[in-house]
């Protein structure tokens, strides 16, 4: 009897701990989503043998969330109901770096994030913070699905992470309080960057003031003037209502946001080979599904942004590339620098627009 009571009490403590940990959004952006306002979605039933958790930092409308829900459904189907996945949106389990660290400890099982936080563990992913490294989505997919991308993901096992596949967020636009069309228009603009020195430098080289800032702070910073601008995909701009506080959106396409789907190595290593294969097959199918959804959703959000009255400013991409790339190449590409010159050249050689 004592053991039964102790088990019930312990279960209650664990549930309360999870709920308290999910109670506030650390990285939810302008919509202010929290566990009280954002639902979670689970694939499968509570009777599943493996009941896993996944944390993402964007809201339920965004393809980060829907892609992970699809991933969970595929795992449930392929495992004959043995696996269920509970997906927590809007940073309910912590911001991206928090969740990566939770994966390393084995307290969260999956996440889908931007590549930038992984630079805290390995320099392999720094190349994704490089401006105009990909000319279009075809180029990005060719590289991400090649031996280059696979090696990057496989190397994460050295950091207690399993890199499954590259999903996506898309190409960055610049939202701004003033009209931006040419690189010179960025002079003096205070623009939010991911927590990446390369991105900060890319903006600073234009004469802007690049400010590394957690996403949770961005909306308020745009409202109060701490920031004048930010670089984000239309999907993130629209789903977090940033278009309500930024009247101009420049279609610069200057960064591409690859999104690694990660699994806790502790969770992965606990599985038999057959279930490890289920996870990998489901991840590959979810990748293709999510990329299509991401493309559609970015287009939908771009139309939504237009409908709110924002001006979408078309730009000369080559002008922006010429302004941003050379200084970053000089500072970051080369022997004993962050970007391996051989990898960088291989990526350039895979550009279909250059063939």
């Amino acid at each position: 009897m004592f053991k039964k009571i102790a088990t019930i009490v312990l279960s209650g403590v664990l549930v309360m701990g999870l709920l308290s940990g999910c109670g506030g959004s650390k990285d939810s952006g302008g919509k202010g989503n929290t566990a009280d306002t954002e639902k979670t979605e689970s694939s499968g039933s509570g009777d599943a043998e493996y009941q896993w958790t996944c944390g993402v930092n964007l809201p339920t409308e965004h393809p980060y969330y829907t892609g992970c829900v699809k991933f969970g459904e595929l795992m449930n189907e392929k495992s004959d109901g043995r696996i269920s996945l509970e997906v927590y949106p809007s940073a309910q389990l912590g911001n991206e770096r928090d969740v990566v660290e939770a994966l390393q400890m084995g307290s969260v099982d999956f996440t889908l994030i931007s590549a930038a936080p992984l630079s805290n563990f390995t320099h392999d992913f720094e190349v994704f913070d490089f401006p105009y490294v990909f000319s279009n989505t075809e180029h990005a997919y060719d590289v991400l699905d090649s031996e280059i991308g696979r090696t990057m993901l496989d190397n994460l096992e050295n950091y207690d992470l399993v890199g499954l596949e590259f999903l996506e967020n898309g190409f960055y636009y610049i939202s701004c309080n003033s009209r931006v069309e040419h690189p010179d228009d960025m002079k003096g603009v205070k623009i939010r960057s991911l927590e990446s020195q390369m991105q900060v430098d890319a903006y600073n080289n234009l004469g802007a003031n690049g400010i590394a800032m957690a996403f949770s702070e961005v909306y308020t910073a745009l409202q109060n003037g701490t920031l004048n601008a930010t670089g984000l995909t239309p999907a993130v701009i629209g789903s977090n209502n940033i278009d309500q506080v930024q009247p101009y959106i420049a279609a610069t396409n200057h960064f591409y946001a690859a999104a690694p789907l990660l699994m806790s190595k502790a969770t992965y290593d606990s599985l038999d080979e057959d279930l490890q294969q289920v996870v990998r097959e489901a991840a590959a199918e979810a990748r293709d599904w999510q990329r299509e959804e991401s493309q559609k959703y970015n287009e939908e959000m771009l139309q939504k942004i237009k409908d709110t009255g924002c001006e979408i400013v078309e730009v000369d991409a080559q002008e922006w590339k010429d302004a941003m790339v050379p200084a970053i190449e000089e500072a970051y590409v080369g022997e004993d620098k962050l970007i391996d010159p051989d990898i960088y050249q291989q990526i350039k050689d895979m550009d279909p627009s250059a063939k």
Side-chain angles (χ1 to χ4, degrees):
M1 175 66 73
F2 174 78
K3 290 175 66 177
K4 182 175 181 181
I5 293 172
T7 300
I8 294 171
V9 171
L10 178 59
S11 299
V13 169
L14 289 173
V15 170
M16 289 297 292
L18 178 60
L19 291 176
S20 64
C22 299
S25 172
K26 294 183 181 179
D27 204 13
S28 60
K31 295 182 75 173
N33 296 318
T34 68
D36 294 328
T37 59
E38 284 273 27
K39 66 178 181 178
T40 66
E41 188 159 339
S42 177
S43 59
S45 71
D47 296 328
E49 181 180 352
Y50 297 92
Q51 299 180 35
W52 290 332
T53 55
C54 176
V56 297
N57 78 323
L58 290 168
T60 54
E61 298 89 349
H62 192 277
Y64 269 24
Y65 178 81
T66 57
C68 288
V69 170
K70 180 67 173 180
F71 174 50
E73 291 171 351
L74 288 166
M75 287 195 295
N76 181 262
E77 176 186 335
K78 291 175 179 294
S79 68
D80 296 324
R82 295 175 66 192
I83 295 171
S84 69
L85 184 67
E86 187 88 10
V87 184
Y88 292 84
S90 299
Q92 292 180 27
L93 302 186
N95 62 35
E96 288 188 331
R97 184 167 181 174
D98 292 337
V99 178
V100 169
E101 292 173 351
L103 260 66
Q104 291 177 306
M105 293 185 292
S107 56
V108 175
D109 302 296
F110 295 91
T111 189
L112 180 61
I113 61 168
S114 57
L118 294 176
S119 300
N120 294 302
F121 309 104
T122 171
H123 294 312
D124 289 355
F125 291 82
E126 298 276 1
V127 71
F128 297 128
D129 293 326
F130 201 97
Y132 293 101
V133 69
F134 299 128
S135 61
N136 53 38
T137 53
E138 179 186 355
H139 185 201
Y141 296 165
D142 285 348
V143 172
L144 296 174
D145 298 341
S146 74
E147 185 178 348
I148 294 172
R150 187 71 260 163
T151 299
M152 289 180 179
L153 292 173
D154 289 346
N155 286 345
L156 289 173
E157 291 203 19
N158 297 322
Y159 306 94
D160 295 321
L161 301 167
V162 175
L164 294 172
E165 296 288 345
F166 282 108
L167 282 62
E168 73 162 19
N169 191 353
F171 281 95
Y172 273 29
Y173 287 25
I174 292 176
S175 67
C176 194
N177 290 340
S178 57
R179 193 177 191 278
V180 170
E181 181 177 354
H182 304 286
D184 284 349
D185 297 332
M186 293 296 294
K187 290 180 179 177
V189 171
K190 295 176 290 185
I191 182 168
R192 181 258 182 170
S193 165
L194 289 177
E195 296 176 76
S196 157
Q197 189 58 48
M198 190 186 303
Q199 284 201 11
V200 170
D201 290 346
Y203 290 133
N204 288 349
N205 291 338
L206 299 177
N209 180 13
I211 301 171
M213 181 180 293
F215 185 58
S216 58
E217 304 171 30
V218 169
Y219 191 87
T220 300
L222 292 170
Q223 285 181 310
N224 64 27
T226 303
L227 294 175
N228 310 127
T230 187
L232 293 168
T233 65
V236 177
I237 293 170
S239 64
N240 288 277
N241 296 325
I242 289 172
D243 50 307
Q244 295 182 3
V245 292
Q246 298 266 268
Y248 301 98
I249 312 290
T252 48
N253 291 296
H254 57 292
F255 292 126
Y256 174 80
L261 177 61
L262 307 178
M263 183 177 186
S264 167
K265 189 173 185 297
T267 304
Y268 185 82
D269 288 347
S270 71
L271 302 175
D272 294 334
E273 287 187 12
D274 62 329
L275 284 184
Q276 289 178 347
Q277 185 64 24
V278 162
V279 170
R280 290 195 176 274
E281 289 178 359
E285 290 187 32
R287 174 200 65 197
D288 295 341
W289 184 91
Q290 192 269 352
R291 286 176 179 176
E292 289 187 13
E293 288 299 302
S294 176
Q295 294 297 314
K296 290 189 290 185
Y297 191 71
N298 271 289
E299 288 298 321
E300 290 172 8
M301 288 298 99
L302 192 58
Q303 186 59 52
K304 179 249 188 188
I305 291 165
K306 291 177 182 178
D307 291 344
T308 64
C310 285
E311 179 182 352
I312 307 298
V313 182
E314 299 298 331
V315 306
D316 181 346
Q318 189 61 50
E319 179 187 18
W320 282 80
K321 184 175 181 179
D322 291 344
M324 297 182 80
V325 170
I328 297 298
E329 278 185 339
E330 182 177 354
Y332 286 95
V333 179
E335 299 297 334
D336 300 321
K337 295 182 180 179
L338 287 181
I339 305 297
D340 183 320
D342 293 334
I343 296 295
Y344 182 65
Q345 187 59 50
Q346 289 177 47
I347 292 173
K348 290 176 66 176
D349 291 343
M350 293 175 73
D351 184 354
S353 67
K355 295 177 182 179

